[in-house]
Amino acid sequence: MFCSGAIGDEGPSEASVIARGLRDTVAADRLVLDEESRDTLQTARAAADYARANGIARCVACTDNWHQPRARMLLRLFGVRTAGARLEHGHRPAKRRARAYVREALALPYDAVAGAWALIRR
């Protein structure tokens, strides 16, 4: 399981928080922590590099429902076929949920271009 996310303004890395949340259900030696990636594009690239290096052709993208399309698009762009895992994080206020969907709608085309540019530069 590839857990990704750098340290934010303070506290532990997002990757280590994810790993801590999984410790009762996933053996520690099955967790891979990417504590360098600071955004979805970096995470997708790191995950794809890891998948390629380990002969993994398909993965399950575990992220918020509103974030699935962008995360999966980037992984596919970097050569990894995906399935999505439906994740619910409890009740969120409608305004906050709407803001997340708008942000993703704007970020998806941006990351499509940025991801394609990253492939070209490679």
Side-chain angles (χ1 to χ4, degrees), residues 13 22 26-27 33-34 36 49 52 62 67 71 78 81-83 85 88 91 94 97-98 111 117:
S13 70
L22 295 169
V26 179
L33 274 63
D34 162 33
E36 302 300 317
D49 289 347
R52 241 185 322 282
C62 301
H67 190 53
F78 290 126
R81 291 181 18 242
T82 65
E88 297 292 340
H91 178 71
R97 206 170 41 247
D111 270 357
W117 181 245

Side-chain angles (χ1 to χ4, degrees), residues 44-58:
R45 191 172 188 172
D49 289 347
Y50 176 81
R52 241 185 322 282
N54 290 280
I56 300 167
R58 185 178 174 100

